Amino acid sequence: MANQLGLYNAALAELGEPALASLTENRPARHFLDSAYDNVLADCLEAGDWNFAIREVKAAADTSITENFGFTETIAKPSDWVRTTALCFDPDFASPLLDTDYQDTTSFWATYQTPIYVRYVSNGASYGLLLTAWPNAFRRYVEFALAERVCLQISQSEGMKAALSERLVPRALRNALSRDSRNEGMKFRRRSTWNAA
């Protein structure tokens, strides 16, 4: 079960540094970790379609946004949105929007229909940022990512930084993605319009 102090101490252990007694301990290493923490979590959540962080919502048009590209509806992205995994016409997520059915912008989706149903990776406190819900492989990935981010500040070791960047962090990410994908059901290729006809 992940917690912030545990993440910090695991990252420090990778760097050969002594553990912190608390999150208020006045050490340079803790300050470096504090400054990197939010960005590392954001990067790690953005790196995959993590099942533990998936949220599904019914999203309706936002009349305060105007769209100039031919689409008739604009739907604001949720404030906890990190990355989209599915946009669909139905709540069962069986009828996906195709590339021609929507446009993805920084803060909203433009479509021809409202409402739509959205499945996305969330950084909400009950989803992606709920550390106690993290699988062990994702926790380990975050620990390596934290160590890599503060490595030069703490250890000044180019060799250690290279090992983390080129080998350990990518391996931890692959492992986390692989294990997370095992929690998904069977996926079938969508029937083509040719076969459907």
Side-chain angles (χ1 to χ4, degrees):
M1 184 179 305
N3 61 61
Q4 189 172 349
L5 181 61
L7 294 171
Y8 281 14
N9 284 334
L12 290 172
E14 291 302 325
L15 301 175
E17 292 289 315
L20 293 167
S22 73
L23 291 173
T24 57
E25 188 175 332
N26 191 14
R27 274 178 42 201
R30 196 215 89 216
H31 298 297
F32 294 140
L33 286 162
D34 281 347
S35 66
Y37 183 72
D38 289 339
N39 289 331
V40 168
L41 262 55
D43 291 347
C44 290
L45 283 173
E46 193 175 1
D49 295 341
W50 309 108
N51 287 299
F52 67 89
I54 294 291
R55 185 173 186 183
E56 296 175 352
V57 297
K58 178 181 180 180
D62 186 338
T63 55
S64 68
I65 306 171
T66 56
E67 175 56 54
N68 298 321
F69 299 106
F71 292 101
T72 56
E73 309 295 340
T74 51
I75 299 166
K77 289 182 178 175
S79 60
D80 63 336
W81 174 88
V82 174
R83 63 183 286 161
T84 307
T85 64
L87 295 173
C88 291
F89 292 117
D90 65 308
D92 297 324
F93 291 89
S95 302
L97 276 72
L98 304 177
D99 290 348
T100 55
D101 296 326
Y102 73 97
Q103 179 183 8
D104 191 337
T105 71
T106 304
S107 58
F108 63 88
W109 297 285
T111 71
Y112 293 115
Q113 176 178 321
T114 186
I116 61 171
Y117 297 85
V118 184
R119 181 180 288 145
Y120 64 96
V121 175
S122 164
N123 63 9
S126 298
Y127 295 91
L129 294 184
L130 181 60
L131 276 61
T132 56
W134 287 2
N136 288 332
F138 182 79
R139 174 189 47 79
R140 194 71 180 123
Y141 166 50
V142 173
E143 291 167 356
F144 278 118
L146 269 171
E148 189 259 341
R149 188 69 57 93
V150 299
C151 180
L152 290 180
Q153 294 168 303
I154 294 175
S155 73
Q156 288 85 42
S157 170
E158 293 283 353
M160 190 180 295
K161 169 77 171 175
L164 285 161
S165 299
E166 297 167 14
R167 194 167 37 87
L168 297 174
V169 173
R171 183 189 306 154
L173 172 58
R174 284 192 306 272
N175 185 45
L177 288 169
S178 174
R179 290 186 182 198
D180 191 64
S181 69
R182 295 179 197 162
N183 294 323
E184 298 172 3
M186 289 290 288
K187 292 185 179 177
F188 298 95
R189 200 178 293 242
R190 191 174 66 237
R191 245 179 10 151
S192 70
T193 53
W194 177 265
N195 287 333

